[in-house]
Amino acid sequence: MALAVACATLLAGCGGGGSGADSPGRNGDPAVGRGKAAVVLSAEQLRVAAPLGDALPDGLGGGMGGTDIFEGQKAADRCGSETGTACSGLVAAGLSGYTTRPGDGDVFWDAFSFDTPEDAQVAWKAMAAGKREEEASSDPQPLEVSADADELDAYGLPPSHDYSSGQDIEIHDAKVMMRIGGVVVLLTGYDMPNFELIQGLATVAADRVAKVAQGKNPDA
């Protein structure tokens, strides 16, 4: 799997910038894994795609009560709050949360399934631009992520310090924003001991969406 460095300039094409079945996969490489099949998930498929249990990379635990799936107005409200759009064509939204080991950090998986890749692309572009604008004053830095996604933007914030244990411990915040066909995935990490946790989760999250769309068991 190719290693992608998320672009600082969204319109420069983080992940190729295409939409739908003809988009390049793996952020510029040929979409070998998913071929040209459209990725559109139902509410139940979105639940199956959520990374939980043994699917999580080392250092992430739990699932904070499993995966919440939203449809109708609740889904629209969640999607609108994260993307800043009307979320036209939205099918469902999902939310899972994880804890880091070691430490007391949190990582959240938000996913939004749309009825077409084009509708998903509108939401992804607005979300990525909006998140960067919100945190521009925090000096976000490009974050390397390896994931089979049509579009991807990821960044980490300069480390902060936790002195609560009597030691100077670096903690890290980061965001990864991906579009896999008609599915938009947002990963948000707070107070993580390292960036590898969210980088690994991004790889897993994109792979599970693709497998579920192909009718495969992502846990096989």
Side-chain angles (χ1 to χ4, degrees), residues 115-158:
D115 56 9
T116 68
E118 291 76 16
D119 282 338
Q121 186 181 49
V122 170
W124 180 87
K125 283 185 177 293
M127 178 180 70
K131 297 297 185 187
R132 278 193 171 273
E133 183 177 0
E134 288 173 6
E135 297 189 299
S137 62
S138 300
D139 190 27
Q141 300 297 311
L143 186 66
E144 294 181 344
V145 171
S146 179
D148 191 358
D150 294 297
E151 296 182 283
L152 185 153
D153 188 29
Y155 60 84
L157 301 182

mmCIF file of all heavy atoms in Angstrom, residues 115-158:
data_model
loop_
_atom_site.group_PDB
_atom_site.id
_atom_site.type_symbol
_atom_site.label_atom_id
_atom_site.label_comp_id
_atom_site.label_asym_id
_atom_site.label_seq_id
_atom_site.Cartn_x
_atom_site.Cartn_y
_atom_site.Cartn_z
ATOM 1 N N ASP A 115 -25.674 8.492 -1.109
ATOM 2 C CA ASP A 115 -26.193 7.633 -2.174
ATOM 3 C C ASP A 115 -25.378 7.702 -3.454
ATOM 4 O O ASP A 115 -25.548 6.863 -4.340
ATOM 5 C CB ASP A 115 -27.673 7.924 -2.453
ATOM 6 C CG ASP A 115 -27.940 9.390 -2.795
ATOM 7 O OD1 ASP A 115 -26.967 10.158 -2.979
ATOM 8 O OD2 ASP A 115 -29.130 9.765 -2.886
ATOM 9 N N THR A 116 -24.455 8.676 -3.566
ATOM 10 C CA THR A 116 -23.545 8.729 -4.712
ATOM 11 C C THR A 116 -22.181 9.239 -4.246
ATOM 12 O O THR A 116 -22.085 10.003 -3.283
ATOM 13 C CB THR A 116 -24.054 9.677 -5.820
ATOM 14 O OG1 THR A 116 -24.008 11.029 -5.345
ATOM 15 C CG2 THR A 116 -25.475 9.321 -6.256
ATOM 16 N N PRO A 117 -21.119 8.846 -4.949
ATOM 17 C CA PRO A 117 -19.798 9.404 -4.640
ATOM 18 C C PRO A 117 -19.745 10.912 -4.822
ATOM 19 O O PRO A 117 -18.998 11.602 -4.119
ATOM 20 C CB PRO A 117 -18.875 8.689 -5.632
ATOM 21 C CG PRO A 117 -19.576 7.406 -5.943
ATOM 22 C CD PRO A 117 -21.046 7.755 -5.944
ATOM 23 N N GLU A 118 -20.535 11.434 -5.765
ATOM 24 C CA GLU A 118 -20.522 12.876 -6.007
ATOM 25 C C GLU A 118 -21.065 13.646 -4.807
ATOM 26 O O GLU A 118 -20.509 14.690 -4.418
ATOM 27 C CB GLU A 118 -21.333 13.211 -7.265
ATOM 28 C CG GLU A 118 -20.702 12.734 -8.558
ATOM 29 C CD GLU A 118 -20.835 11.239 -8.804
ATOM 30 O OE1 GLU A 118 -21.675 10.588 -8.147
ATOM 31 O OE2 GLU A 118 -20.080 10.727 -9.666
ATOM 32 N N ASP A 119 -22.144 13.156 -4.193
ATOM 33 C CA ASP A 119 -22.671 13.812 -2.998
ATOM 34 C C ASP A 119 -21.655 13.724 -1.859
ATOM 35 O O ASP A 119 -21.480 14.677 -1.092
ATOM 36 C CB ASP A 119 -23.994 13.155 -2.564
ATOM 37 C CG ASP A 119 -25.174 13.592 -3.419
ATOM 38 O OD1 ASP A 119 -25.093 14.669 -4.047
ATOM 39 O OD2 ASP A 119 -26.174 12.855 -3.468
ATOM 40 N N ALA A 120 -20.992 12.572 -1.735
ATOM 41 C CA ALA A 120 -19.984 12.416 -0.692
ATOM 42 C C ALA A 120 -18.819 13.380 -0.909
ATOM 43 O O ALA A 120 -18.268 13.928 0.048
ATOM 44 C CB ALA A 120 -19.475 10.978 -0.664
ATOM 45 N N GLN A 121 -18.450 13.599 -2.156
ATOM 46 C CA GLN A 121 -17.322 14.477 -2.444
ATOM 47 C C GLN A 121 -17.619 15.917 -2.025
ATOM 48 O O GLN A 121 -16.743 16.610 -1.487
ATOM 49 C CB GLN A 121 -16.973 14.438 -3.926
ATOM 50 C CG GLN A 121 -15.710 15.233 -4.262
ATOM 51 C CD GLN A 121 -15.387 15.209 -5.736
ATOM 52 O OE1 GLN A 121 -16.252 15.449 -6.564
ATOM 53 N NE2 GLN A 121 -14.141 14.930 -6.054
ATOM 54 N N VAL A 122 -18.831 16.366 -2.250
ATOM 55 C CA VAL A 122 -19.213 17.720 -1.832
ATOM 56 C C VAL A 122 -19.036 17.876 -0.323
ATOM 57 O O VAL A 122 -18.463 18.859 0.159
ATOM 58 C CB VAL A 122 -20.674 18.027 -2.238
ATOM 59 C CG1 VAL A 122 -21.150 19.320 -1.595
ATOM 60 C CG2 VAL A 122 -20.795 18.105 -3.754
ATOM 61 N N ALA A 123 -19.529 16.894 0.429
ATOM 62 C CA ALA A 123 -19.416 16.955 1.894
ATOM 63 C C ALA A 123 -17.961 16.858 2.342
ATOM 64 O O ALA A 123 -17.534 17.571 3.250
ATOM 65 C CB ALA A 123 -20.243 15.832 2.520
ATOM 66 N N TRP A 124 -17.186 15.966 1.711
ATOM 67 C CA TRP A 124 -15.779 15.804 2.107
ATOM 68 C C TRP A 124 -14.986 17.074 1.878
ATOM 69 O O TRP A 124 -14.217 17.505 2.749
ATOM 70 C CB TRP A 124 -15.136 14.656 1.324
ATOM 71 C CG TRP A 124 -13.701 14.468 1.705
ATOM 72 C CD1 TRP A 124 -13.211 13.712 2.732
ATOM 73 C CD2 TRP A 124 -12.560 15.088 1.099
ATOM 74 N NE1 TRP A 124 -11.843 13.819 2.811
ATOM 75 C CE2 TRP A 124 -11.422 14.657 1.811
ATOM 76 C CE3 TRP A 124 -12.399 15.962 0.032
ATOM 77 C CZ2 TRP A 124 -10.132 15.078 1.489
ATOM 78 C CZ3 TRP A 124 -11.120 16.391 -0.299
ATOM 79 C CH2 TRP A 124 -9.999 15.945 0.425
ATOM 80 N N LYS A 125 -15.147 17.681 0.719
ATOM 81 C CA LYS A 125 -14.384 18.898 0.419
ATOM 82 C C LYS A 125 -14.704 20.009 1.412
ATOM 83 O O LYS A 125 -13.805 20.704 1.903
ATOM 84 C CB LYS A 125 -14.670 19.356 -1.014
ATOM 85 C CG LYS A 125 -13.957 18.542 -2.081
ATOM 86 C CD LYS A 125 -14.192 19.132 -3.455
ATOM 87 C CE LYS A 125 -13.416 18.374 -4.521
ATOM 88 N NZ LYS A 125 -11.944 18.535 -4.373
ATOM 89 N N ALA A 126 -15.982 20.188 1.718
ATOM 90 C CA ALA A 126 -16.369 21.229 2.660
ATOM 91 C C ALA A 126 -15.846 20.926 4.063
ATOM 92 O O ALA A 126 -15.377 21.822 4.775
ATOM 93 C CB ALA A 126 -17.892 21.371 2.684
ATOM 94 N N MET A 127 -15.930 19.664 4.473
ATOM 95 C CA MET A 127 -15.451 19.274 5.793
ATOM 96 C C MET A 127 -13.955 19.508 5.919
ATOM 97 O O MET A 127 -13.475 20.092 6.907
ATOM 98 C CB MET A 127 -15.761 17.802 6.062
ATOM 99 C CG MET A 127 -15.251 17.297 7.407
ATOM 100 S SD MET A 127 -15.637 15.551 7.702
ATOM 101 C CE MET A 127 -14.542 14.764 6.503
ATOM 102 N N ALA A 128 -13.184 19.049 4.930
ATOM 103 C CA ALA A 128 -11.737 19.180 4.999
ATOM 104 C C ALA A 128 -11.315 20.642 5.042
ATOM 105 O O ALA A 128 -10.444 21.034 5.833
ATOM 106 C CB ALA A 128 -11.089 18.464 3.811
ATOM 107 N N ALA A 129 -11.945 21.461 4.221
ATOM 108 C CA ALA A 129 -11.614 22.887 4.220
ATOM 109 C C ALA A 129 -12.006 23.535 5.538
ATOM 110 O O ALA A 129 -11.256 24.347 6.104
ATOM 111 C CB ALA A 129 -12.314 23.579 3.057
ATOM 112 N N GLY A 130 -13.178 23.160 6.062
ATOM 113 C CA GLY A 130 -13.647 23.761 7.304
ATOM 114 C C GLY A 130 -12.803 23.385 8.510
ATOM 115 O O GLY A 130 -12.504 24.238 9.351
ATOM 116 N N LYS A 131 -12.422 22.113 8.608
ATOM 117 C CA LYS A 131 -11.611 21.676 9.747
ATOM 118 C C LYS A 131 -10.259 22.378 9.737
ATOM 119 O O LYS A 131 -9.752 22.799 10.785
ATOM 120 C CB LYS A 131 -11.414 20.160 9.712
ATOM 121 C CG LYS A 131 -12.681 19.338 9.831
ATOM 122 C CD LYS A 131 -13.389 19.550 11.149
ATOM 123 C CE LYS A 131 -14.588 18.608 11.263
ATOM 124 N NZ LYS A 131 -15.409 18.892 12.480
ATOM 125 N N ARG A 132 -9.657 22.503 8.569
ATOM 126 C CA ARG A 132 -8.355 23.175 8.500
ATOM 127 C C ARG A 132 -8.483 24.651 8.876
ATOM 128 O O ARG A 132 -7.614 25.199 9.547
ATOM 129 C CB ARG A 132 -7.755 23.021 7.117
ATOM 130 C CG ARG A 132 -7.060 21.673 6.925
ATOM 131 C CD ARG A 132 -6.204 21.669 5.684
ATOM 132 N NE ARG A 132 -5.383 20.471 5.602
ATOM 133 C CZ ARG A 132 -4.192 20.341 6.150
ATOM 134 N NH1 ARG A 132 -3.674 21.344 6.839
ATOM 135 N NH2 ARG A 132 -3.505 19.218 6.017
ATOM 136 N N GLU A 133 -9.554 25.269 8.432
ATOM 137 C CA GLU A 133 -9.753 26.684 8.768
ATOM 138 C C GLU A 133 -9.928 26.862 10.272
ATOM 139 O O GLU A 133 -9.393 27.795 10.871
ATOM 140 C CB GLU A 133 -10.964 27.232 8.020
ATOM 141 C CG GLU A 133 -11.203 28.720 8.245
ATOM 142 C CD GLU A 133 -12.357 29.261 7.430
ATOM 143 O OE1 GLU A 133 -12.977 28.486 6.677
ATOM 144 O OE2 GLU A 133 -12.654 30.457 7.565
ATOM 145 N N GLU A 134 -10.671 25.950 10.906
ATOM 146 C CA GLU A 134 -10.902 26.036 12.347
ATOM 147 C C GLU A 134 -9.602 25.964 13.140
ATOM 148 O O GLU A 134 -9.466 26.583 14.193
ATOM 149 C CB GLU A 134 -11.826 24.897 12.798
ATOM 150 C CG GLU A 134 -13.270 25.041 12.371
ATOM 151 C CD GLU A 134 -14.082 23.803 12.696
ATOM 152 O OE1 GLU A 134 -13.533 22.883 13.366
ATOM 153 O OE2 GLU A 134 -15.253 23.721 12.282
ATOM 154 N N GLU A 135 -8.643 25.167 12.644
ATOM 155 C CA GLU A 135 -7.424 24.918 13.411
ATOM 156 C C GLU A 135 -6.185 25.558 12.788
ATOM 157 O O GLU A 135 -5.061 25.208 13.141
ATOM 158 C CB GLU A 135 -7.224 23.414 13.580
ATOM 159 C CG GLU A 135 -8.359 22.782 14.370
ATOM 160 C CD GLU A 135 -8.116 21.337 14.751
ATOM 161 O OE1 GLU A 135 -7.966 20.504 13.834
ATOM 162 O OE2 GLU A 135 -8.103 21.049 15.963
ATOM 163 N N ALA A 136 -6.412 26.506 11.880
ATOM 164 C CA ALA A 136 -5.284 27.140 11.196
ATOM 165 C C ALA A 136 -4.324 27.804 12.174
ATOM 166 O O ALA A 136 -3.099 27.771 11.980
ATOM 167 C CB ALA A 136 -5.794 28.158 10.180
ATOM 168 N N SER A 137 -4.855 28.381 13.237
ATOM 169 C CA SER A 137 -4.000 29.079 14.203
ATOM 170 C C SER A 137 -3.166 28.124 15.045
ATOM 171 O O SER A 137 -2.234 28.549 15.726
ATOM 172 C CB SER A 137 -4.860 29.951 15.128
ATOM 173 O OG SER A 137 -5.760 29.151 15.879
ATOM 174 N N SER A 138 -3.498 26.815 15.001
ATOM 175 C CA SER A 138 -2.755 25.819 15.782
ATOM 176 C C SER A 138 -1.594 25.205 15.016
ATOM 177 O O SER A 138 -0.955 24.276 15.504
ATOM 178 C CB SER A 138 -3.705 24.708 16.247
ATOM 179 O OG SER A 138 -4.731 25.225 17.061
ATOM 180 N N ASP A 139 -1.335 25.711 13.823
ATOM 181 C CA ASP A 139 -0.210 25.267 13.008
ATOM 182 C C ASP A 139 -0.274 23.774 12.683
ATOM 183 O O ASP A 139 0.640 23.011 12.999
ATOM 184 C CB ASP A 139 1.116 25.584 13.707
ATOM 185 C CG ASP A 139 2.329 25.379 12.799
ATOM 186 O OD1 ASP A 139 2.170 25.504 11.577
ATOM 187 O OD2 ASP A 139 3.416 25.089 13.326
ATOM 188 N N PRO A 140 -1.345 23.311 12.009
ATOM 189 C CA PRO A 140 -1.434 21.890 11.653
ATOM 190 C C PRO A 140 -0.329 21.483 10.686
ATOM 191 O O PRO A 140 0.028 22.237 9.780
ATOM 192 C CB PRO A 140 -2.816 21.773 11.000
ATOM 193 C CG PRO A 140 -3.131 23.158 10.527
ATOM 194 C CD PRO A 140 -2.494 24.084 11.513
ATOM 195 N N GLN A 141 0.196 20.282 10.892
ATOM 196 C CA GLN A 141 1.280 19.762 10.062
ATOM 197 C C GLN A 141 0.799 18.536 9.283
ATOM 198 O O GLN A 141 0.020 17.738 9.803
ATOM 199 C CB GLN A 141 2.471 19.364 10.941
ATOM 200 C CG GLN A 141 3.054 20.516 11.743
ATOM 201 C CD GLN A 141 3.628 21.598 10.845
ATOM 202 O OE1 GLN A 141 4.395 21.317 9.935
ATOM 203 N NE2 GLN A 141 3.243 22.847 11.090
ATOM 204 N N PRO A 142 1.241 18.375 8.022
ATOM 205 C CA PRO A 142 0.824 17.205 7.236
ATOM 206 C C PRO A 142 1.147 15.901 7.959
ATOM 207 O O PRO A 142 2.207 15.772 8.576
ATOM 208 C CB PRO A 142 1.635 17.333 5.949
ATOM 209 C CG PRO A 142 1.967 18.778 5.845
ATOM 210 C CD PRO A 142 2.141 19.259 7.261
ATOM 211 N N LEU A 143 0.228 14.961 7.887
ATOM 212 C CA LEU A 143 0.386 13.672 8.553
ATOM 213 C C LEU A 143 0.383 12.570 7.493
ATOM 214 O O LEU A 143 -0.518 12.513 6.652
ATOM 215 C CB LEU A 143 -0.757 13.453 9.543
ATOM 216 C CG LEU A 143 -0.680 12.213 10.438
ATOM 217 C CD1 LEU A 143 0.489 12.318 11.404
ATOM 218 C CD2 LEU A 143 -1.998 12.044 11.209
ATOM 219 N N GLU A 144 1.383 11.703 7.531
ATOM 220 C CA GLU A 144 1.472 10.606 6.570
ATOM 221 C C GLU A 144 0.433 9.539 6.906
ATOM 222 O O GLU A 144 0.355 9.069 8.034
ATOM 223 C CB GLU A 144 2.866 9.993 6.599
ATOM 224 C CG GLU A 144 3.961 10.928 6.104
ATOM 225 C CD GLU A 144 5.335 10.288 6.131
ATOM 226 O OE1 GLU A 144 5.479 9.241 6.801
ATOM 227 O OE2 GLU A 144 6.244 10.826 5.497
ATOM 228 N N VAL A 145 -0.354 9.160 5.906
ATOM 229 C CA VAL A 145 -1.384 8.138 6.091
ATOM 230 C C VAL A 145 -1.374 7.217 4.878
ATOM 231 O O VAL A 145 -1.329 7.686 3.736
ATOM 232 C CB VAL A 145 -2.780 8.768 6.259
ATOM 233 C CG1 VAL A 145 -3.865 7.704 6.218
ATOM 234 C CG2 VAL A 145 -2.860 9.550 7.565
ATOM 235 N N SER A 146 -1.419 5.921 5.114
ATOM 236 C CA SER A 146 -1.509 4.928 4.044
ATOM 237 C C SER A 146 -2.908 4.336 4.068
ATOM 238 O O SER A 146 -3.255 3.591 4.996
ATOM 239 C CB SER A 146 -0.455 3.834 4.259
ATOM 240 O OG SER A 146 -0.536 2.853 3.254
ATOM 241 N N ALA A 147 -3.736 4.688 3.072
ATOM 242 C CA ALA A 147 -5.118 4.218 3.057
ATOM 243 C C ALA A 147 -5.629 4.187 1.627
ATOM 244 O O ALA A 147 -5.260 5.031 0.807
ATOM 245 C CB ALA A 147 -6.008 5.127 3.914
ATOM 246 N N ASP A 148 -6.490 3.232 1.343
ATOM 247 C CA ASP A 148 -7.091 3.085 0.017
ATOM 248 C C ASP A 148 -8.305 4.005 -0.051
ATOM 249 O O ASP A 148 -9.439 3.572 0.129
ATOM 250 C CB ASP A 148 -7.476 1.624 -0.205
ATOM 251 C CG ASP A 148 -7.867 1.346 -1.646
ATOM 252 O OD1 ASP A 148 -7.876 2.293 -2.450
ATOM 253 O OD2 ASP A 148 -8.169 0.181 -1.964
ATOM 254 N N ALA A 149 -8.057 5.285 -0.310
ATOM 255 C CA ALA A 149 -9.114 6.287 -0.326
ATOM 256 C C ALA A 149 -9.052 7.088 -1.615
ATOM 257 O O ALA A 149 -7.980 7.286 -2.189
ATOM 258 C CB ALA A 149 -8.973 7.229 0.875
ATOM 259 N N ASP A 150 -10.207 7.554 -2.075
ATOM 260 C CA ASP A 150 -10.254 8.397 -3.266
ATOM 261 C C ASP A 150 -9.749 9.800 -2.974
ATOM 262 O O ASP A 150 -9.131 10.432 -3.832
ATOM 263 C CB ASP A 150 -11.687 8.465 -3.790
ATOM 264 C CG ASP A 150 -12.170 7.113 -4.287
ATOM 265 O OD1 ASP A 150 -11.583 6.601 -5.248
ATOM 266 O OD2 ASP A 150 -13.119 6.571 -3.699
ATOM 267 N N GLU A 151 -10.058 10.288 -1.787
ATOM 268 C CA GLU A 151 -9.583 11.603 -1.370
ATOM 269 C C GLU A 151 -9.211 11.530 0.110
ATOM 270 O O GLU A 151 -9.876 10.841 0.889
ATOM 271 C CB GLU A 151 -10.652 12.678 -1.597
ATOM 272 C CG GLU A 151 -10.994 12.860 -3.063
ATOM 273 C CD GLU A 151 -12.015 13.949 -3.297
ATOM 274 O OE1 GLU A 151 -13.206 13.694 -3.048
ATOM 275 O OE2 GLU A 151 -11.630 15.043 -3.741
ATOM 276 N N LEU A 152 -8.164 12.234 0.471
ATOM 277 C CA LEU A 152 -7.671 12.139 1.844
ATOM 278 C C LEU A 152 -6.968 13.434 2.231
ATOM 279 O O LEU A 152 -6.205 13.997 1.456
ATOM 280 C CB LEU A 152 -6.702 10.956 1.968
ATOM 281 C CG LEU A 152 -6.152 10.601 3.359
ATOM 282 C CD1 LEU A 152 -5.811 9.120 3.410
ATOM 283 C CD2 LEU A 152 -4.907 11.411 3.690
ATOM 284 N N ASP A 153 -7.244 13.895 3.430
ATOM 285 C CA ASP A 153 -6.500 15.008 4.014
ATOM 286 C C ASP A 153 -6.283 14.662 5.481
ATOM 287 O O ASP A 153 -7.213 14.224 6.172
ATOM 288 C CB ASP A 153 -7.269 16.326 3.877
ATOM 289 C CG ASP A 153 -6.435 17.522 4.295
ATOM 290 O OD1 ASP A 153 -5.197 17.457 4.170
ATOM 291 O OD2 ASP A 153 -7.005 18.527 4.743
ATOM 292 N N ALA A 154 -5.067 14.809 5.968
ATOM 293 C CA ALA A 154 -4.750 14.446 7.350
ATOM 294 C C ALA A 154 -3.702 15.393 7.893
ATOM 295 O O ALA A 154 -2.794 15.805 7.177
ATOM 296 C CB ALA A 154 -4.244 13.001 7.415
ATOM 297 N N TYR A 155 -3.844 15.731 9.164
ATOM 298 C CA TYR A 155 -2.856 16.602 9.792
ATOM 299 C C TYR A 155 -2.792 16.333 11.288
ATOM 300 O O TYR A 155 -3.743 15.845 11.904
ATOM 301 C CB TYR A 155 -3.175 18.080 9.540
ATOM 302 C CG TYR A 155 -4.522 18.559 10.059
ATOM 303 C CD1 TYR A 155 -4.691 18.955 11.385
ATOM 304 C CD2 TYR A 155 -5.620 18.634 9.208
ATOM 305 C CE1 TYR A 155 -5.914 19.401 11.840
ATOM 306 C CE2 TYR A 155 -6.848 19.083 9.657
ATOM 307 C CZ TYR A 155 -6.988 19.465 10.980
ATOM 308 O OH TYR A 155 -8.206 19.904 11.442
ATOM 309 N N GLY A 156 -1.632 16.637 11.842
ATOM 310 C CA GLY A 156 -1.437 16.561 13.285
ATOM 311 C C GLY A 156 -1.098 17.935 13.818
ATOM 312 O O GLY A 156 -0.528 18.775 13.100
ATOM 313 N N LEU A 157 -1.443 18.172 15.058
ATOM 314 C CA LEU A 157 -1.124 19.442 15.696
ATOM 315 C C LEU A 157 0.158 19.297 16.501
ATOM 316 O O LEU A 157 0.514 18.196 16.939
ATOM 317 C CB LEU A 157 -2.273 19.880 16.608
ATOM 318 C CG LEU A 157 -3.629 20.069 15.924
ATOM 319 C CD1 LEU A 157 -4.660 20.554 16.933
ATOM 320 C CD2 LEU A 157 -3.528 21.040 14.752
ATOM 321 N N PRO A 158 0.900 20.370 16.687
ATOM 322 C CA PRO A 158 2.114 20.287 17.512
ATOM 323 C C PRO A 158 1.784 19.692 18.873
ATOM 324 O O PRO A 158 0.703 19.940 19.433
ATOM 325 C CB PRO A 158 2.548 21.749 17.634
ATOM 326 C CG PRO A 158 1.998 22.413 16.412
ATOM 327 C CD PRO A 158 0.675 21.731 16.160
#
